[in-house]
Amino acid sequence: MADEPLVLGIETSCDETGVGIVRGTTLLADAVASSVDEHARFGGVVPEVASRAHLEAMVPTIQRALKDAGVTAKDLDGISVTAGPGLAGALLVGVSAAKAYAYALGKPLYGVNHLASHICVDQLEHGPLPEPTMALLVSGGHSSLLLSSDITADVRPLGATIDDAAGEAFDKIARVLNLGFPGGPVIDRYAKEGDPDAITFPRGLTGPRDPAYDFSFSGLKTSVARWIEAKRAAGEDVPVRDVSASFQEAVVDVLTRKAVRACKDEGVDHLMIGGGVAANSRLRALAQERCERAGIRLRVPRPKLCTDNGAMVAALGAEMVARNRRPSSWDLSADSSLPVTETHVPGHHHHDHVHEVSKDNLYS
Amino acid sequence: MDTATPAVTVALHDGSSVVAESSQVDARRHGELLLPAVDRVLAEAGVRLDAVTGIVVGVGPGPYTGLRVGLMTADTFGLALDVPVHGVCTLDGLAFEAQVDGPFVVATDARRKEVYWARYENPRTRTTDAAVDRPADIAEQVAGLPAVGAGALLYPDTFPDAHGPEHVSAAALAALAAERLAAGEELLEPRPLYLRRPDAQVPKNYKVVTPK
Ligand SMILES: [Zn+2]
């Protein structure tokens, strides 16, 4: 449909410089420049390294996205950008770029929430989000259960990790096993050849009195590390495949168990899983199995849309345009701890005249 | 525009003089203040951004987070408008504004008890590369010279003859750039002068969690 909003989205909350372009719920371009290799030797994302890389990568990545999408900037109906949460300095580079681009092109600007974008991206894969949708977001930065009845206006947090994010646990165990960074893909690979029942690792916060939807991976991490050290101290080989499989099983067991329970408790029949850890093959398989058993429709985007990217920001931006949400002001700031309940950062009323002026497209 | 010092500063120059300008000092809000300042300056001049034929941005040196706001904004304006983006060393802008006769020093605050600094023969001629140092370590190199900039005013032991302006103004930056462009000189690429490596602590080797 030609009248669906054409939106360019910019994402710089962590180490990926993402620029995506969508038309409504159709993905047109998903250009990503990653600085992950520059962080590998540090064993984690170094904020200043990420910020420097965003500045260098931004313009070429925008150009690549426009070329891939086969559209010109003047055709855009809006520019959206991750306003938070994320690394403050990294977010600021994307917000600065988006503001300047929107201003120069005379387009409305939408500062949007990174977590809501992770949910909204599934529209590009499986069509409009059912309302309500339950979402399990798992990555190196977040582990949350969220319930949304309208992705542009209402996202309710049901639970979150009380210590480490799930992806962080993968990174830490990979480091203990000397498997490098990031840990998720390599542990997934080893786990495929290991026995998930070989070692029983603890399932955090699954007792009868524990909060039903919160997560904890710190105890699991310590327990796995101790087990490995005990092996090493005894002079025995560490069975990397079995440790990987058993650790991974403990993580995905808790994640899927709690997500399915939340769906049942809230009477929601759709579960979407997003974030970098959603690329984990065992998480996908176990979620599928448990959702089928519970009569829940599972929606998981392809791995490239699960990790941080600009398309997810564009997807939410397009939804903001489609639903006539108020654009952001030119003084939009990056908010490293933007609450998930704030799906976007609408402008102040008294600044709206700025956008009145902006509608006068410079190229028209 | 320049965001390499605590000032968020924007000016519009028509090739012969400054048409409109805005400078606000708030070291923590570069990101919020820059675009509204651009909008204000253009409105004051009654000009739309697409009338601009070139962008000049201060490339620092300066604290990185703020510095990147100006550079990213300039880069993206250049992309959207398809106009050239030029870089000018922020210290050069300050030197041009200060108009001191004879040799002098420009020093801005680099935080962490250091200054970004350079020596000048006159307001248009820098004689050293911009550097970042502890004031005490450069005392000999700047001895006896007048100094301008907030970095000089902060450390009177090293810079006893210090005065303003404290921060760069985009008006001076634009005027200097216009003069150089008119003379056919090449300006800098709009890339940041960080002068320091990123703070990047390699996480300590994996910590043993089992008590011995
Ligand atoms: Zn994310």
Side-chain angles (χ1 to χ4, degrees):
Chain A
M1 277 190 292
D3 56 351
E4 285 185 305
L6 180 69
V7 172
L8 178 144
I10 294 177
E11 150 65 31
T12 61
S13 68
C14 193
D15 61 339
E16 321 276 0
T17 310
V19 180
I21 298 175
V22 307
R23 192 185 293 282
T25 59
T26 306
L27 174 65
L28 300 184
D30 178 20
V32 176
S34 178
S35 61
V36 65
D37 294 343
E38 294 174 56
H39 304 283
R41 68 196 171 99
F42 302 112
V45 173
V46 180
E48 178 58 21
V49 171
S51 298
R52 291 185 181 193
H54 288 312
L55 175 63
E56 299 309 317
M58 183 58 68
V59 166
T61 309
I62 293 175
Q63 288 172 316
R64 187 149 54 89
L66 288 170
K67 188 163 172 277
D68 291 352
V71 300
T72 53
K74 70 171 164 48
D75 298 329
L76 296 168
D77 295 307
I79 309 294
S80 57
V81 62
T82 304
L87 301 170
L91 287 168
L92 187 55
V93 178
V95 168
S96 298
K99 286 204 282 192
Y101 207 45
Y103 184 84
L105 295 169
K107 310 290 183 185
L109 169 76
Y110 297 87
V112 300
N113 190 293
H114 179 79
L115 300 179
S117 301
H118 265 307
I119 300 174
C120 196
V121 75
D122 193 51
Q123 299 207 129
L124 306 177
E125 190 88 305
H126 299 109
L129 279 176
E131 296 179 341
T133 286
M134 185 68 68
L136 171 67
L137 293 189
V138 272
S139 75
H142 15 267
S143 305
S144 324
L145 263 172
L146 306 165
L147 180 58
S148 172
S149 67
D150 171 349
I151 198 59
T152 64
D154 174 40
V155 175
R156 186 152 61 93
L158 297 183
T161 181
I162 59 165
D163 40 57
D164 298 341
E168 227 177 322
F170 275 89
D171 289 340
K172 283 176 182 170
I173 295 307
R175 200 188 310 163
V176 180
L177 290 169
N178 301 316
L179 300 179
F181 171 86
V186 64
I187 286 192
D188 194 357
R189 213 157 54 235
Y190 276 106
K192 281 185 182 141
E193 296 163 18
D195 176 5
D197 300 320
I199 312 148
T200 307
F201 289 127
R203 269 64 170 161
L205 296 186
T206 51
R209 292 203 182 139
D210 289 328
Y213 310 132
D214 283 341
F215 303 104
S216 167
F217 298 106
S218 169
L220 168 64
K221 182 192 73 191
T222 308
S223 168
V224 176
R226 279 201 177 129
W227 194 93
I228 294 167
E229 279 166 18
K231 280 278 170 196
R232 284 178 182 154
E236 295 173 39
D237 284 343
V238 177
V240 175
R241 288 165 178 79
D242 285 349
V243 171
S244 297
S246 300
F247 157 73
Q248 177 176 279
E249 195 67 15
V251 174
V252 305
D253 176 26
V254 177
L255 289 174
T256 54
R257 204 192 301 181
K258 293 200 173 207
V260 169
R261 162 136 188 226
C263 287
K264 284 184 180 163
D265 291 355
E266 297 284 336
V268 175
D269 58 4
H270 280 85
L271 171 66
M272 85 78 56
I273 305 184
V277 178
N280 183 276
S281 64
R282 180 60 186 150
L283 175 60
R284 287 170 171 252
L286 190 58
Q288 188 62 52
E289 192 183 310
R290 289 181 171 174
C291 281
E292 264 168 32
R293 214 181 302 148
I296 297 165
R297 284 280 290 279
L298 178 67
R299 294 168 54 125
V300 193
R302 77 194 84 150
K304 189 161 184 257
L305 293 179
C306 286
T307 49
D308 293 347
N309 62 79
M312 68 190 215
V313 181
L316 184 52
E319 206 56 42
M320 294 291 170
V321 176
R323 298 196 189 207
N324 272 317
R325 299 295 173 211
R326 190 141 40 96
S328 302
S329 308
W330 298 126
D331 67 352
L332 172 70
S333 54
D335 182 350
S336 59
S337 54
L338 186 70
V340 67
T341 47
E342 291 179 29
T343 50
H344 69 134
V345 185
H348 340 287
H349 272 295
H350 62 273
H351 273 210
D352 277 4
H353 68 275
V354 174
H355 291 282
E356 296 293 317
V357 173
S358 303
K359 292 209 179 88
D360 182 9
N361 191 316
L362 295 180
Y363 293 87
S364 60
Chain B
M1 59 187 125
D2 190 296
T3 58
T5 72
V8 177
T9 176
V10 178
L12 187 68
H13 195 285
D14 66 5
S16 52
S17 63
V18 171
V19 179
E21 61 176 297
S22 160
S23 283
Q24 293 156 285
V25 176
D26 189 338
R28 307 190 61 83
R29 295 175 63 220
H30 289 104
E32 284 158 64
L33 298 176
L34 183 59
L35 233 289
V38 169
D39 192 46
R40 219 170 34 243
V41 164
L42 290 169
E44 196 183 306
V47 168
R48 291 199 320 188
L49 186 62
D50 66 347
V52 167
T53 55
I55 311 280
V56 174
V57 61
V59 298
Y64 325 135
T65 304
L67 173 63
R68 277 188 288 262
V69 170
L71 284 160
M72 190 72 268
T73 301
D75 261 3
T76 316
F77 277 170
L79 171 71
L81 303 170
D82 197 22
V83 297
V85 181
H86 307 285
V88 171
C89 173
T90 296
L91 303 180
D92 290 2
L94 247 170
F96 190 70
E97 190 171 3
Q99 294 293 334
V100 178
D101 287 328
F104 66 103
V105 179
V106 172
T108 60
D109 183 11
R111 301 182 188 160
R112 300 188 221 166
K113 299 181 178 154
E114 293 185 320
V115 292
Y116 297 118
W117 71 285
R119 279 182 59 154
Y120 288 80
E121 194 52 46
N122 59 56
R124 290 176 174 77
T125 315
R126 178 157 41 83
T127 51
T128 63
D129 283 338
V132 60
D133 286 292
R134 284 178 168 258
D137 297 342
I138 57 168
E140 260 176 50
Q141 298 167 71
V142 302
L145 295 175
V148 300
L153 290 158
L154 264 175
Y155 302 102
D157 287 351
T158 303
F159 305 102
D161 184 9
H163 53 93
E166 282 186 71
H167 313 305
V168 71
S169 81
L173 202 76
L176 176 62
E179 193 181 292
R180 286 183 176 164
L181 288 171
E185 288 177 46
E186 285 271 310
L187 299 182
L188 300 173
E189 285 291 306
R191 305 271 45 101
L193 270 181
Y194 290 122
L195 301 189
R196 290 187 186 119
R197 290 178 171 282
D199 292 317
Q201 288 281 324
V202 180
K204 293 201 186 67
N205 280 338
Y206 156 67
K207 208 166 112 257
V208 176
V209 293
T210 312
K212 293 281 175 207

CSV table of all heavy atoms in Angstrom, one decimal, chain A residues 13 114 118 139 142 275 308 312, ligand 1:
chain,number,residue,atom,x,y,z
A,13,SER,N,22.0,2.3,20.5
A,13,SER,CA,21.9,2.2,21.9
A,13,SER,C,23.1,1.4,22.5
A,13,SER,O,23.4,1.5,23.7
A,13,SER,CB,20.6,1.6,22.4
A,13,SER,OG,20.6,0.3,22.0
A,114,HIS,N,13.7,1.8,23.0
A,114,HIS,CA,14.4,0.7,22.4
A,114,HIS,C,13.7,-0.7,22.6
A,114,HIS,O,13.6,-1.5,21.8
A,114,HIS,CB,15.8,0.6,23.0
A,114,HIS,CG,16.7,-0.5,22.6
A,114,HIS,ND1,17.3,-0.5,21.4
A,114,HIS,CD2,17.0,-1.7,23.2
A,114,HIS,CE1,18.0,-1.6,21.2
A,114,HIS,NE2,17.8,-2.3,22.3
A,118,HIS,N,12.0,-3.4,20.0
A,118,HIS,CA,12.3,-4.9,19.9
A,118,HIS,C,11.0,-5.7,19.7
A,118,HIS,O,11.0,-6.7,19.1
A,118,HIS,CB,13.0,-5.3,21.2
A,118,HIS,CG,14.5,-5.3,21.1
A,118,HIS,ND1,15.2,-6.0,20.1
A,118,HIS,CD2,15.4,-4.8,21.9
A,118,HIS,CE1,16.5,-5.8,20.3
A,118,HIS,NE2,16.7,-5.1,21.4
A,139,SER,N,18.4,-10.2,26.0
A,139,SER,CA,19.7,-9.8,25.3
A,139,SER,C,20.7,-9.6,26.3
A,139,SER,O,20.6,-9.9,27.5
A,139,SER,CB,19.4,-8.5,24.5
A,139,SER,OG,19.4,-7.4,25.4
A,142,HIS,N,19.1,-6.6,28.4
A,142,HIS,CA,17.8,-6.7,29.0
A,142,HIS,C,17.2,-8.2,29.1
A,142,HIS,O,17.6,-9.0,28.3
A,142,HIS,CB,16.7,-5.9,28.3
A,142,HIS,CG,17.1,-5.4,26.9
A,142,HIS,ND1,17.7,-4.2,26.8
A,142,HIS,CD2,17.0,-6.0,25.7
A,142,HIS,CE1,18.0,-4.0,25.5
A,142,HIS,NE2,17.6,-5.1,24.8
A,275,GLY,N,15.1,-9.7,21.1
A,275,GLY,CA,16.4,-9.4,21.7
A,275,GLY,C,17.4,-10.4,21.2
A,275,GLY,O,17.1,-11.5,20.6
A,308,ASP,N,20.0,-5.9,17.9
A,308,ASP,CA,19.8,-4.5,17.7
A,308,ASP,C,19.9,-4.1,16.3
A,308,ASP,O,20.9,-4.5,15.6
A,308,ASP,CB,20.7,-3.7,18.6
A,308,ASP,CG,20.4,-3.8,20.1
A,308,ASP,OD1,19.4,-4.4,20.4
A,308,ASP,OD2,21.3,-3.4,20.9
A,312,MET,N,13.9,-2.1,13.5
A,312,MET,CA,13.0,-2.2,14.6
A,312,MET,C,12.6,-0.8,15.0
A,312,MET,O,11.4,-0.5,15.4
A,312,MET,CB,13.6,-3.0,15.7
A,312,MET,CG,14.7,-2.3,16.5
A,312,MET,SD,15.5,-3.5,17.6
A,312,MET,CE,16.0,-2.4,18.9
C,1,ZN,ZN,18.4,-4.4,22.4
